[in-house]
Amino acid sequence: MSNVAGRTDWAEEDDDDQVALPAPQVTKNKDGTETIVTYIMREDGKKIKTTRRIKKTVVKTTVNPRVAERKQWAKFGQEANKPSGPQSDTTSVAENIVFRPQANWKASADDKSEHEKKKANLKDAKIKCRICSGDHWTTKCPFKDTMAPEGEAGAGVGDLDEPEAAGALGGGGSSYVPPHLRNRAGGAVGEKMGGKYERDDLATLRVTNVSEFTEEQDLRDIFSRFGHVTRVFLAKDRETGRAKGFAFVSFADRDDAKTACEKVDGYGLGHLILRVEFAKKST
DNA sequence: GATGAGCGC
């Protein structure tokens, strides 16, 4: 059937050549090297045999052990129950990710108009300290520990068992109770019932480098694998509602917090790498 | 980079 002169099917000719040439041979040598023998057909029809002896090098990719460990974590959220490793339908692994940190991401994301800024300034200007009439809140007054608000000088203070505690509350006798001091009877918040009241931050982690797209639930998902998360606070801009870049995560157990701190520090969430450390007492 | 919200006569 086939007429060699009038042939147009070159693919078939290739096939013929392949059949004509011996398959490459690979021989493993005792010293760990390999001898590879390949045959090729030159243009002029001569058969060439090539013998190569190669030494195989094992290429080790170094993965941070902590990163390797995280890869074993069970998936959560929408990816819960999916097998480990990237899902081809949602994840592209070959993409060249260019990491471009922006120094002023907050400012650039901020589309606050000029008049809004002015409004904020006006609001600030209205602040008047009740102690020294300065332009700060009474609670921020440098004299708040030594002076009572005007018109309340000394009133009732002598009757209290813990005058300095009362001063530190910033209430100085006013009826206002800051949110974190409310429901003291609940016992969940103030640890030292006999002294100054402070939030229990013994098992609280501060998480920084949190992307503005992060939500509290995202953090809860990540951290709750280490123990009972009692509270997640994500600092947000009050006007824009966008995350400010840091958060607090509290655990019921400080040991769990410690583990979580070690394990999640360096974890990539969104396009950022989380930094986790124990929270210090807020100023 | 950052240590929470919450209040104003």
Side-chain angles (χ1 to χ4, degrees):
Chain A
M1 285 258 224
S2 77
N3 170 2
V4 173
R7 213 157 125 186
T8 53
D9 190 350
W10 301 103
E12 244 177 61
E13 184 181 62
D14 284 349
D15 282 346
D16 290 349
D17 282 351
Q18 304 244 315
V19 172
L21 289 171
Q25 301 164 4
V26 181
T27 322
K28 293 205 167 154
N29 305 314
K30 278 189 182 166
D31 60 358
T33 61
E34 279 181 10
T35 305
I36 303 172
V37 183
T38 48
Y39 301 87
I40 55 165
M41 181 76 81
R42 256 181 13 190
E43 298 243 333
D44 58 9
K46 267 204 167 183
K47 235 194 265 179
I48 307 284
K49 177 183 175 188
T50 317
T51 307
R52 284 176 297 165
R53 191 153 171 248
I54 59 156
K55 187 176 180 186
K56 283 208 170 171
T57 0
V58 179
V59 181
K60 273 192 188 166
T61 352
T62 316
V63 177
N64 181 323
R66 283 160 61 202
V67 174
E69 194 185 328
R70 279 182 214 123
K71 289 187 176 182
Q72 307 303 312
W73 289 1
K75 295 192 176 179
F76 55 81
Q78 295 190 318
E79 295 291 297
N81 303 321
K82 294 268 177 71
S84 67
Q87 300 294 295
S88 58
D89 54 339
T90 55
T91 312
S92 142
V93 287
E95 189 183 345
N96 184 22
I97 298 169
V98 181
F99 185 50
R100 265 184 265 208
Q102 262 184 293
N104 59 342
W105 64 271
K106 191 186 172 187
S108 67
D110 200 347
D111 49 10
K112 210 191 279 174
S113 63
E114 278 302 314
H115 100 271
E116 267 180 307
K117 281 180 192 162
K118 277 188 196 148
K119 214 167 69 182
N121 287 342
L122 275 176
K123 217 168 70 187
D124 289 346
K126 268 204 302 199
I127 298 169
K128 189 177 159 211
C129 173
R130 283 179 295 141
I131 296 173
C132 71
S133 301
D135 58 354
H136 47 251
W137 298 117
T138 305
T139 47
K140 301 274 194 274
C141 181
F143 307 113
K144 76 174 159 60
D145 291 330
T146 50
M147 293 173 66
E150 288 164 318
E152 299 175 28
V157 167
D159 302 332
L160 292 174
D161 289 337
E162 300 143 355
E164 68 286 336
L169 289 181
S174 95
S175 57
Y176 174 72
V177 181
H180 72 284
L181 299 180
R182 292 174 194 162
N183 301 323
R184 276 159 28 185
V189 194
E191 270 293 297
K192 302 180 185 171
M193 296 301 271
K196 292 184 184 176
Y197 295 99
E198 57 189 44
R199 181 174 36 235
D200 173 18
D201 273 353
L202 284 173
T204 296
L205 301 171
R206 182 177 68 132
V207 187
T208 53
N209 219 20
V210 178
S211 126
E212 61 174 314
F213 307 112
T214 303
E215 285 167 27
E216 282 167 14
Q217 188 58 45
D218 300 330
L219 295 169
R220 191 174 284 273
D221 285 340
I222 293 167
F223 282 91
S224 50
R225 72 175 62 245
F226 300 103
H228 182 216
V229 173
T230 55
R231 189 176 60 108
V232 174
F233 174 85
L234 180 65
K236 290 185 199 139
D237 185 300
R238 241 187 341 139
E239 275 142 42
T240 69
R242 275 200 276 244
K244 282 205 277 190
F246 66 97
F248 293 93
V249 177
S250 302
F251 280 86
D253 182 29
R254 188 179 160 90
D255 288 339
D256 291 339
K258 190 164 181 291
T259 316
C261 178
E262 287 160 7
K263 303 288 183 188
V264 184
D265 186 30
Y267 180 78
L269 176 60
H271 59 296
L272 296 180
I273 308 235
L274 297 183
R275 288 264 303 127
V276 186
E277 58 204 326
F278 269 95
K280 288 191 281 240
K281 224 197 294 183
S282 132
T283 49

